[in-house]
Every structure is written in C-alpha cells, then in structure tokens.
Amino acid sequence: MHYAQGDRVEYKGQDNQKHTGQIQRVRGQEPNLKYTVRDEQTQTEEQIQETQIDRTL
C-alpha cells in the first residue's frame, strides 16, 4: 500500500512501540520508499520504512 504526505498513520517506531503520526515527506523509489513521520505526542520526526506502518487513521 502506498501512503502520501499528510496521511495520519499508526506505525512502529525505532523503539519498537506503536506511535501515531502524520507523514511529512515521502522519499525514494519503489520498493524502497522512506517516510518521514511526525509523532503526534512528541512532535519529533522519525524516518521509517513502509513495512513499519500498520494502518492509516
């Protein structure tokens, strides 16, 4: 599944915990897309892969 800038998603962060955030940037080419997500609670940005995204909200 493809996600776009502005999508709200639930994802597994680098700490292996579930987070909720908004996609800020999408970079790369299929199948190696990278997403920059801003965590709603901490307001920090994290770069994740598509496989770390559980679902859209």
Side-chain angles (χ1 to χ4, degrees):
M1 179 172 190
H2 298 293
Y3 302 95
Q5 184 175 344
D7 285 353
R8 285 185 67 234
V9 294
E10 184 177 271
Y11 66 97
K12 190 178 290 187
Q14 304 299 339
D15 60 0
N16 224 23
Q17 301 293 315
K18 286 196 177 199
H19 298 271
T20 302
Q22 185 176 39
I23 295 175
Q24 302 296 307
R25 282 184 296 282
V26 181
R27 295 189 304 162
Q29 301 260 342
E30 288 264 352
N32 298 316
L33 291 173
K34 302 262 186 194
Y35 299 88
T36 302
V37 181
R38 181 182 303 248
D39 187 291
E40 290 182 355
Q41 278 195 319
T42 64
Q43 296 301 307
T44 57
E45 289 188 354
E46 185 170 358
Q47 191 171 59
I48 62 171
Q49 297 178 5
E50 190 165 8
T51 56
Q52 292 173 264
I53 299 175
D54 292 328
R55 64 187 177 115
T56 55
L57 302 173

